[in-house]
Amino acid sequence: MKTKIAITTMTVGVALLFAAQLPSGSAQESHVGPLTGNASSGKPLYKRFCIGCHGPAGDGQGENAPWIDPKPRDFTAATFKCRSTPTGTLPTDDDLDNAVTRGFVTTNMPSWNPLTPQQRADVVAYIKTFSPRWKTDKPGIPIHIPAETAVTLQSVLHGRELFQKMECWKCHGPAGHGDGPSAATLTDSKDQPIRPYNFATGSRFKCGETNQDLYRIFMTGVDGTPMPSFADVIQPNDAWDLVHFLRTLQTMPTPELDIWKKYSSEHASEIKPIGPDAASGGN
Amino acid sequence: MNRKLLCLLPAAAVIFYAVKAGAGAPIPPPAGGAISGKVTYTGTPPKMKPIDMSKEPTCAKQHTTPVMTENVTTGPESSLQYVVVYISEGDSGGAAPAETVRYDQRGCQYLPHVLPMQAGQVLQIFNDDQTSHNIHPLAKVNPEWNKSQPAGSLPIDTKYDKPEFIPVKCNIHPWMHGYFVVLNTSHYAVTGPDGSFSLKGLPAGKYTVTAWQEQYGTQTQEVTIGATETKTANFTFKALPY
C-alpha cells in the first residue's frame, strides 16, 4: 500500500517535472524596457497580423510567402539579422522589438509602430515560442559601442583604406553599389539569392539608420546572410572610420560626403582606386 | 515486489552510464578491435569539375593544376573519398578530447574538405591566404554564425556542442565548400583517395557503423567485434550524376 502511494506520488512528480520542461508556448515572456510581454497575449496578435507571411508554425511559410522576396523570417531557425549581440547568439528582446517596430526597408515587413508597445512586447514573447533555443540559450551580451570619434578627413580616408583592406568591395562593389565581383553569387542561409546593400540607394539600412546602427551592423554581422561579423578583426576606432567612409557612398548630403568631395576634387591624382587593382597597394 | 524493482531500474541505468562515462574519459583507447573497409559507388557520379579561381589571383597562383570540385570525389576502382565513417551506436562518446582540431583556408580551399570532430572539442580555424575569407558554417542544430577573417588574422577558436553535419562556405569565394562533422564519438575516420578507412582501438562489443557522404547521405551496418578482432565493413553508395 505504501509502495503504491509512493509510486503514485512519484508519477505525479515526474509528470509535473516534464510539464515544466515542455515548450509550453504560453509561458514564454519578453522584457522590453519596463514592459513584460506574454506569449499568450501575443498569440492572437500574431494570428491577426503576422501569420499571413510568417505562417502558423512561424517557419516563414505563410500563404503570402511564395510571392515575397526576401522571404519572411523563419522563427524556428532562431537566426536573426538585426541584433545587438555577437554573431551566432540569440538577440535580446529589445532587438526583436526594435525590428518589429522599425520594420525592414526594401522588404515586405512593415513597421508595426501602430501597435502599442505592450502589444509589440507580447508579439515578441510569442515569436520566441517557435524555437527551443529560447529555452536552452540565453541572448548574447550586446556589443559595446564606444562614443563616436570626430568626423575628420583623416577618419574618412582611413575608413576608405579599410573598405579596401577588409575587402568590403568584393560584395558591396568599389563604389558601394552592391555590384562587387562576388555579388552575383551570394545566397542567404536558405539558398535564396541575396544582394549586398547598395549604399547609393539611401541611408535607411535594414537594421537602422544611425551611425551607431551602421557600426553595430558590421560588428555583429547580419546572421543568416553572407554579411559576416567584423568584431574580432576591427578595432573600435577603425570601425568608426569605416562608418564615416560608408557615409560618403550615399548620394544625399552628409558631412562625410562634403569632406570627401572637397578632398577628391583637390587630390584626384593621389586617390588610389578601390578594387582588385589596388590590392598591391600598401595600407 | 516487481514494482519496486522497476523503480530501481532507471537509477541503476544512471549509475551504469555514469560509471561507463567516467571510465571512458581519461583512459586512452586500448589497442582493441578494429573495423576497417572500403567505400565505393555504383552508378554514375557527377564529374569533378575544375574550379575557376581567376577572380582571386593570390589563390589561383598557388595551384599549378586546377582545383577540382569535391562534392563527390571518386578514385580508382569506384572508390569514394571524403566519406566519414563513424560509430553511431555502441560507443558512449565520453568527454571531448583536449587536443584541438585544425581547419585551414589555404589557396581558397578548405583543408581538409571534410573535418570530423567530437562534440565539445575545440576547433581552430586558420586563414593562411593573402586574402579575406568569411567563414560561414551553416549550422541548423547548433548556432549559425558568420565571421570575417582577413589575411593575417588570428585563428578563430570555437566548438560545437551538438552532433550535426554542418556545411561550411565562404560567401566571398563561392566555390569554397566544406563540412564540419560533429559526432558523439571519438571513433571516426574519413576515407582516403582509395576509399579505405579504419576504426581502431574499439573495445569488444556490438556497434552500429555509419558512413556519411555529403551528397548521398548515410548508410549503416551492425558489426560485432571481439577484444582484438578486426572486421571488415564495406559500404556502397548509389551514385547519381546530379
Side-chain angles (χ1 to χ4, degrees):
Chain A
M1 186 62 187
K2 259 189 182 170
T3 325
K4 205 171 185 181
I5 293 170
I7 287 171
T8 316
T9 318
M10 263 181 71
T11 315
V12 171
V14 167
L16 280 175
L17 200 71
F18 275 100
Q21 285 175 344
L22 279 175
S24 49
S26 53
Q28 185 64 262
E29 285 187 352
S30 72
H31 299 279
V32 179
L35 300 173
T36 298
N38 287 298
S40 51
S41 312
K43 189 174 180 178
L45 293 164
Y46 180 90
K47 283 191 163 175
R48 181 167 176 199
F49 299 114
C50 319
I51 204 166
C53 296
H54 293 283
D59 56 2
Q61 300 287 325
E63 58 181 325
N64 304 332
W67 289 275
I68 289 175
D69 181 35
K71 294 295 172 197
R73 185 98 315 231
D74 170 4
F75 300 126
T76 67
T79 299
F80 292 92
K81 284 179 177 165
C82 301
R83 292 160 292 103
S84 60
T85 60
T87 180
T89 62
L90 292 174
T92 64
D93 292 352
D94 284 301
D95 291 338
L96 293 177
D97 183 70
N98 283 338
V100 172
T101 308
R102 185 181 56 240
F104 284 72
V105 290
T106 71
T107 79
N108 285 62
M109 171 74 177
S111 159
W112 291 99
N113 207 31
L115 298 184
T116 67
Q118 180 62 50
Q119 284 176 318
R120 289 196 299 267
D122 291 338
V123 166
V124 165
Y126 187 63
I127 285 167
K128 287 164 62 184
T129 64
F130 290 119
S131 164
R133 268 191 79 193
W134 293 102
K135 297 278 181 194
T136 54
D137 296 14
K138 283 197 169 70
I141 296 161
I143 62 158
H144 174 63
I145 302 182
E148 184 173 349
T149 57
V151 177
T152 61
L153 173 63
Q154 196 189 11
S155 174
V156 169
L157 290 181
H158 187 229
R160 190 172 183 271
E161 275 176 30
L162 288 167
F163 191 82
Q164 169 71 33
K165 187 181 165 193
M166 293 293 161
E167 304 187 14
C168 311
W169 56 273
K170 282 206 172 150
C171 294
H172 291 285
H177 292 177
D179 56 356
S182 304
T185 66
L186 297 180
T187 53
D188 67 11
S189 300
K190 299 249 176 199
D191 278 337
Q192 295 288 321
I194 188 169
R195 297 179 60 170
Y197 189 77
N198 176 353
F199 287 89
T201 55
S203 62
R204 292 177 66 200
F205 311 105
K206 278 203 179 74
C207 300
E209 53 195 78
T210 67
N211 281 4
Q212 278 75 17
D213 293 325
L214 204 41
Y215 182 108
R216 191 184 300 111
I217 290 166
F218 63 71
M219 287 307 224
T220 63
V222 184
D223 282 2
T225 80
M227 176 69 188
S229 157
F230 288 83
D232 296 339
V233 292
I234 298 188
Q235 295 302 311
N237 277 359
D238 293 342
W240 280 122
D241 293 343
L242 189 51
V243 168
H244 296 151
F245 171 68
L246 294 178
R247 291 295 187 193
T248 69
L249 302 174
Q250 296 175 197
T251 44
M252 65 281 289
T254 63
E256 293 86 352
L257 185 57
D258 290 345
I259 290 175
W260 173 249
K261 273 185 175 163
K262 184 168 183 291
Y263 176 82
S264 54
S265 64
E266 291 166 2
H267 299 79
S269 61
E270 296 167 35
I271 297 169
K272 279 189 278 183
I274 284 177
D277 301 335
S280 51
N283 282 293
Chain B
M1 186 58 191
N2 275 341
R3 277 178 181 162
K4 253 185 193 168
L5 269 179
L6 276 176
C7 282
L8 283 173
L9 262 176
V14 166
I15 291 166
F16 174 73
Y17 277 106
V19 168
K20 208 176 169 192
I27 306 163
I35 299 169
S36 57
K38 193 171 167 174
V39 182
T40 53
Y41 66 87
T42 56
T44 313
K47 284 202 169 65
M48 293 176 275
K49 295 186 191 108
I51 292 168
D52 176 14
M53 291 192 190
S54 56
K55 276 186 178 171
E56 199 57 81
T58 62
C59 286
K61 72 182 181 194
Q62 292 186 42
H63 305 285
T64 46
T65 53
V67 174
M68 308 299 274
T69 53
E70 293 169 312
N71 52 324
V72 181
T73 306
T74 57
E77 294 167 18
S78 304
S79 59
L80 270 178
Q81 198 183 351
Y82 302 127
V83 178
V84 180
V85 185
Y86 63 98
I87 302 291
S88 51
E89 273 175 59
D91 175 39
S92 62
E99 66 260 30
T100 59
V101 282
R102 181 178 173 130
Y103 200 57
D104 280 274
Q105 299 157 97
R106 193 183 308 142
C108 292
Q109 264 192 300
Y110 289 129
L111 302 175
H113 172 59
V114 171
L115 179 67
M117 69 194 83
Q118 207 174 334
Q121 193 168 10
V122 176
L123 161 67
Q124 269 198 317
I125 303 163
F126 290 78
N127 178 6
D128 311 323
D129 282 332
Q130 294 306 305
T131 182
S132 278
H133 291 295
N134 77 302
I135 179 132
H136 192 173
L138 297 159
K140 288 190 160 64
V141 180
N142 292 284
E144 177 195 334
W145 50 262
N146 177 8
K147 289 185 178 183
S148 169
Q149 198 173 25
S153 346
L154 294 170
I156 293 170
D157 283 18
T158 186
K159 66 184 170 71
Y160 287 99
D161 293 330
K162 296 167 196 154
E164 187 179 1
F165 303 105
I166 305 171
V168 183
K169 72 179 193 179
C170 171
N171 299 100
I172 303 169
H173 307 109
W175 61 83
M176 290 175 71
H177 284 289
Y179 277 88
F180 295 152
V181 176
V182 187
L183 301 168
N184 256 344
T185 176
S186 58
H187 297 289
Y188 52 73
V190 182
T191 56
D194 61 351
S196 67
F197 72 90
S198 181
L199 303 170
K200 295 195 179 85
L202 290 166
K206 187 183 173 190
Y207 297 105
T208 304
V209 184
T210 298
W212 172 85
Q213 205 281 343
E214 60 187 273
Q215 194 152 326
Y216 302 131
T218 57
Q219 287 192 7
T220 59
Q221 281 185 37
E222 303 237 316
V223 183
T224 306
I225 55 164
T228 56
E229 201 178 356
T230 296
K231 276 205 178 161
T232 303
N234 294 324
F235 292 88
T236 304
F237 284 91
K238 191 169 176 353
L240 296 169
Y242 44 82

